[in-house]
Amino acid sequence: MGVKHAREYVDILGELKEALNSIGDGYLFFEMETEDWEQLEQPQRLELMEALADDVFYALGEDPVIHVGGGIVTYRPKHHIIEVSVDEKESRIIRLI
């Protein structure tokens, strides 16, 4: 099925990466220990978040709700958005068109 989008994939991926990076414990998706995450340099963390964003984007085509650490990523095809619930107070919207 896949996530339908009209915007450039690289732009969507960049916004999704930033939103996922806002989830404080998003690295748990990789089954990574906190100590291991904290030892990574910022460029390495961003590289992992970009890989996560890519994986999540394609996985949303099969499962519209994915848990990433304490956050939730939801694909809303009727609204042409991906919603990233960072925590109970903050959500980020990534527009697909």
Side-chain angles (χ1 to χ4, degrees):
M1 181 174 151
V3 173
K4 294 183 181 181
H5 59 93
R7 289 180 60 208
E8 292 290 326
Y9 177 71
V10 68
D11 296 334
I12 294 169
L13 187 67
E15 289 180 25
L16 185 55
K17 175 179 77 172
E18 283 184 34
L20 292 172
N21 197 39
S22 297
I23 299 171
D25 61 355
Y27 58 87
L28 294 175
F29 188 84
F30 295 113
E31 299 179 4
M32 182 179 270
E33 298 293 328
T34 303
E35 297 162 349
D36 295 332
W37 177 255
E38 290 173 349
Q39 290 178 1
L40 294 176
E41 299 291 326
Q42 187 63 15
Q44 294 170 310
R45 290 181 183 184
L46 291 175
E47 203 173 293
L48 277 174
M49 286 296 111
E50 185 166 341
L52 176 59
D54 189 55
D55 290 349
V56 165
F57 182 84
Y58 285 103
L60 287 169
E62 296 294 320
D63 185 358
V65 178
I66 298 175
H67 293 265
V68 177
I72 301 172
V73 183
T74 307
Y75 172 42
R76 302 193 186 281
K78 290 182 182 179
H79 301 283
H80 309 288
I81 63 168
I82 295 172
E83 180 181 357
V84 179
S85 297
V86 174
D87 55 29
E88 293 179 10
K89 296 180 181 181
E90 179 183 355
S91 289
R92 305 268 180 106
I93 303 296
I94 292 93
R95 301 201 182 283
L96 300 172
I97 59 171

